[in-house]
Amino acid sequence: MIIIATVETIETGTFGTVEMEVKDYAAGFAQLRTTVPDGQRIINVRVQRA
């Protein structure tokens, strides 16, 4: 499955998308939280099944 997250840069308010291919949602979400850089926050997360 693919986790697709919308992230916002806190300082500028711009939005971006981060995609990760994972086998387990919980582990993938935990990994996603650690890969989002400082100064950005996760706004929305959705799953796309392959």
Side-chain angles (χ1 to χ4, degrees):
M1 77 181 75
I2 298 172
I3 293 177
I4 303 168
T6 302
V7 295
E8 177 187 20
T9 303
I10 296 169
E11 199 170 291
T12 62
T14 58
F15 293 93
T17 303
V18 176
E19 295 185 16
M20 298 180 69
E21 188 167 340
V22 298
K23 292 185 182 209
D24 176 63
Y25 177 79
F29 184 73
Q31 181 181 356
L32 174 68
R33 290 180 64 194
T34 62
T35 60
V36 172
D38 289 341
Q40 292 187 343
R41 62 181 170 184
I42 299 171
I43 301 296
N44 183 14
V45 177
R46 64 186 188 276
V47 174
Q48 179 180 345
R49 302 209 186 264

